[in-house]
Amino acid sequence: MIPKPLLEIGESDLHALRDNRVVEGKTIEYKRDLPGRSDGDRIGFLRAVSAFANTEGGDLLYGVDTAEGIPTGFPGIGQVDQDELKQRLENLCRDGIEPRLPNLDFRLVVIEHRPVLIVRVAKSWMSPHRVKLLNHGHFYGRNSAGAFPLDVGELRTAFTLSENTVNRIRDFRAERLLNLHAHHTPIPIRTGCKMALHIIPLSAFATTERIDIAQYQKTLHEFRPLGRDSHDVLSRFNLDGMLNYVYTRDDRSPAYTQVFRSGIVEAVAVFSEQRDGQQQVKRIHSKTYEAMVIRGLQGYINQLYALDVNLPILVFLALVNATDFVFSVPSGPGEYFGYETNKADRDMLDFSEVVIADYGIEAHTLLKPIFDAVWNAFGYAASANYGLDGKWK
């Protein structure tokens, strides 16, 4: 794999592959011609892509001449419709690999006036993936000699590692929610219903890679607490990584974001009892909380991309200590707090996760299934904040 972010790769990097005689290996492969539409070409492409995903990831370069696996020239791939080509290969992967690959990136680099296509395949934390096109049914790995079929022992190991990763994520999150319930938090927080947004890359439990806190501290400062701007947010290092929190005079913060060295993000905001006229109310406003989560998650996705955290990433939402809190639904366009209020039927509301498989997805689209489940928990069919087009109003 070319040791650079894909968007930064240029002509000089391709020249370096030839000048330094970089041979095909575990994380890089060269092809002269694009995959055609024959069965053999399509299966060959899927074999190469799935093998990278099942091993360490890698770059597949099209438009490169080789001799004994070493690039010798760049004839290019000719004039192509980049969008059509990308769509064709993405559709091929979608229909021909199971489970679906979380991410596939493309870049055309012009060298000596000829375009070379780079297909970057990230290591998948949902592996092993198999080629299912035309009932092919094989699983592939990759070593320095190229792609090879995984044997029974290798498959057993791959499935065990995948299952262990999922179990470790569940255990981690269960522990964090129990800590929230018991008020064991990285900084003292206010009492009330705690909304916890957890963003967990699968790579956090599948590798030992960690974020360099000193190098990326400016980026880590940008993980703002939910619903907050920068003017009242303080930051500090801690054993887990970086903590950003809202400062208050009583030393009881209403919101914090803990960014772990592994790339995990825990964002917590507290809904406290408030005065409404002559009475105290415990309220979660049905549109305000969604706006907080959408804005927060979109920012966190952008920052994780800047930190080069690998996909896929799991997103979870929970409400802790929700007993007696009402869910306020506007009764009409002119009503903000409205008149309809329902209560949850349990103290802990934990909602099924959604998966970020593409950094280009918008947060409001990703979150709709979770928001629908929140409304279900308070007695409604689905979130009323989405239009018929599926977009958040």
Side-chain angles (χ1 to χ4, degrees), residues 314-327:
L314 305 184
V315 178
F316 302 83
L317 189 72
L319 296 173
V320 181
N321 305 124
T323 301
D324 295 330
F325 273 78
V326 299
F327 195 65

Side-chain angles (χ1 to χ4, degrees), residues 94-108:
R94 182 194 62 205
D95 299 333
I97 293 178
E98 185 181 52
R100 185 176 176 181
L101 288 177
N103 198 31
L104 201 64
D105 291 319
F106 301 84
R107 179 166 174 76
L108 277 180

Side-chain angles (χ1 to χ4, degrees), residues 37-221:
R37 299 181 184 273
S38 70
D39 293 345
D41 280 357
R42 291 190 295 160
I43 288 176
F45 173 73
L46 296 174
R47 178 174 56 243
V49 168
S50 63
F52 277 133
N54 286 337
T55 313
E56 295 181 7
D59 289 335
L60 189 56
L61 280 71
Y62 288 98
V64 183
D65 274 334
T66 60
E68 298 182 349
I70 297 172
T72 58
F74 302 97
I77 58 174
Q79 297 301 314
V80 296
D81 183 322
Q82 185 174 355
D83 292 335
E84 187 278 332
L85 175 61
K86 177 181 177 182
Q87 185 176 18
R88 178 168 74 88
L89 296 181
E90 284 180 338
N91 290 343
L92 180 56
C93 288
R94 182 194 62 205
D95 299 333
I97 293 178
E98 185 181 52
R100 185 176 176 181
L101 288 177
N103 198 31
L104 201 64
D105 291 319
F106 301 84
R107 179 166 174 76
L108 277 180
V109 177
V110 177
I111 176 171
E112 299 165 1
H113 307 293
R114 302 182 185 95
V116 168
L117 175 67
I118 305 174
V119 181
R120 173 157 289 182
V121 186
K123 174 178 174 56
S124 174
W125 311 112
M126 301 171 70
S127 64
H129 300 267
R130 73 181 181 96
V131 177
K132 67 174 184 175
L133 186 71
L134 302 173
N135 296 318
H136 186 71
H138 292 307
F139 295 83
Y140 293 94
R142 190 171 178 89
N143 57 25
S144 58
F148 63 91
L150 296 176
D151 61 26
V152 173
E154 290 164 330
L155 275 175
R156 185 179 294 116
T157 299
F159 278 113
T160 300
L161 288 173
S162 181
E163 183 179 354
N164 287 344
T165 299
V166 172
N167 289 335
R168 291 176 65 191
I169 289 173
R170 290 173 178 164
D171 292 343
F172 169 84
R173 190 162 172 274
E175 180 182 3
R176 300 301 297 183
L177 292 180
L178 286 173
N179 286 342
L180 272 176
H181 191 273
H183 305 287
H184 296 157
T185 50
I187 188 172
I189 60 175
R190 292 178 179 172
T191 58
C193 177
K194 306 171 188 70
M195 181 170 67
L197 178 68
H198 283 105
I199 305 166
I200 304 180
L202 264 67
S203 60
F205 292 94
T207 74
T208 58
E209 293 181 6
R210 294 296 178 259
I211 296 170
D212 187 328
I213 299 297
Q215 179 181 353
Y216 291 105
Q217 57 181 298
K218 183 176 179 180
T219 302
L220 295 171
H221 282 304

